[in-house]
């Protein structure tokens, strides 16, 4: 059960990393914006996940996907918290979280699961990799882990 769960997490984190990487790179050319009622905007643009609150609240609900590339597609790499801007007399406040952080987090998790799920060559300790061939060991002399059953048999 534990090995199966680790395998599911390994492949899930790998798939999430690839998906987030595609979204991150694609957000330089495609802007996806969700305007919710009454005063929130959520968007993916220029490599960031952006949440903006409008004041005063304008009661609109819409989905819009803009496919035209921006004039200069530049990725934003830094966090922006509580950015206040004014557009057409309306104040906007929000945060921008760069998507590379999500890609790096998912990639680190996937890498850890791949590292933990690696297989050892026959005759090596499963835990530490110590060479147990040629000796009669019930446990590994390096780490104390149980030796594989194949090595405990006398021929």
């Amino acid at each position: 059960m534990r090995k199966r769960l680790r395998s599911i997490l390994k492949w899930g984190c790998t798939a999430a990393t690839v998906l987030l990487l595609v979204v991150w790179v694609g957000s330089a050319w495609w802007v996806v914006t969700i305007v919710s009622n009454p005063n929130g905007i959520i968007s993916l643009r220029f490599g960031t996940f952006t949440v903006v609150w409008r004041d005063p609240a304008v009661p609109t609900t819409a989905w819009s996907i803009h496919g035209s590339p921006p004039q200069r597609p530049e990725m934003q790499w830094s966090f922006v918290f509580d950015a206040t801007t004014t557009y057409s007399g309306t104040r906007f406040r929000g945060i921008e979280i760069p998507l590379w952080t999500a890609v790096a987090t998912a990639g680190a998790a996937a890498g850890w699961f791949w590292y933990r799920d690696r297989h050892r060559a026959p005759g090596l300790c499963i835990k530490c990799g110590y060479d147990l061939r040629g000796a009669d060991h019930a446990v590994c002399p390096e780490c104390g882990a149980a030796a594989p059953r194949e090595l405990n048999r006398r021929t």
Side-chain angles (χ1 to χ4, degrees):
M1 179 68 176
R2 190 170 168 173
K3 186 176 180 182
R4 181 180 171 103
L5 177 62
R6 191 166 51 226
S7 177
I8 290 170
L9 289 172
K10 174 179 72 172
W11 286 104
C13 286
T14 303
T17 301
V18 170
L19 178 65
L20 285 168
L21 185 62
V22 168
V23 168
W24 176 44
V25 172
S27 69
W29 289 277
W30 294 85
V31 176
V32 178
T33 304
I34 301 170
V35 180
S36 64
N37 194 4
N39 61 352
I41 299 172
I42 300 171
S43 68
L44 292 171
R45 62 186 180 92
F46 307 119
T48 64
F49 174 74
T50 306
V51 180
V52 177
W53 295 270
R54 294 192 285 179
D55 188 34
V58 179
T60 58
T61 302
W63 288 76
S64 62
I65 299 177
H66 307 286
S68 60
Q71 297 296 332
R72 286 182 49 198
E74 291 184 14
M75 301 295 265
Q76 295 179 1
W77 296 91
S78 61
F79 290 89
V80 177
F81 294 106
D82 197 28
T84 304
T85 58
T86 304
Y87 179 74
S88 298
T90 305
R91 287 179 52 122
F92 292 86
R93 290 183 175 247
I95 60 172
E96 293 181 4
I97 302 169
L99 290 174
W100 67 262
T101 58
V103 173
T105 303
W112 186 80
F113 283 117
W114 280 95
Y115 173 77
R116 294 285 296 163
D117 204 28
R118 69 193 187 285
H119 297 285
R120 298 280 185 187
L124 301 181
C125 175
I126 294 173
K127 188 172 180 184
C128 69
Y130 184 78
D131 189 359
L132 299 171
R133 294 173 291 187
D136 188 19
H137 296 292
V139 295
C140 174
E142 287 289 316
C143 67
R149 286 185 217 136
E150 299 85 37
L151 294 176
N152 292 334
R153 290 190 212 140
R154 295 200 172 205
T155 54

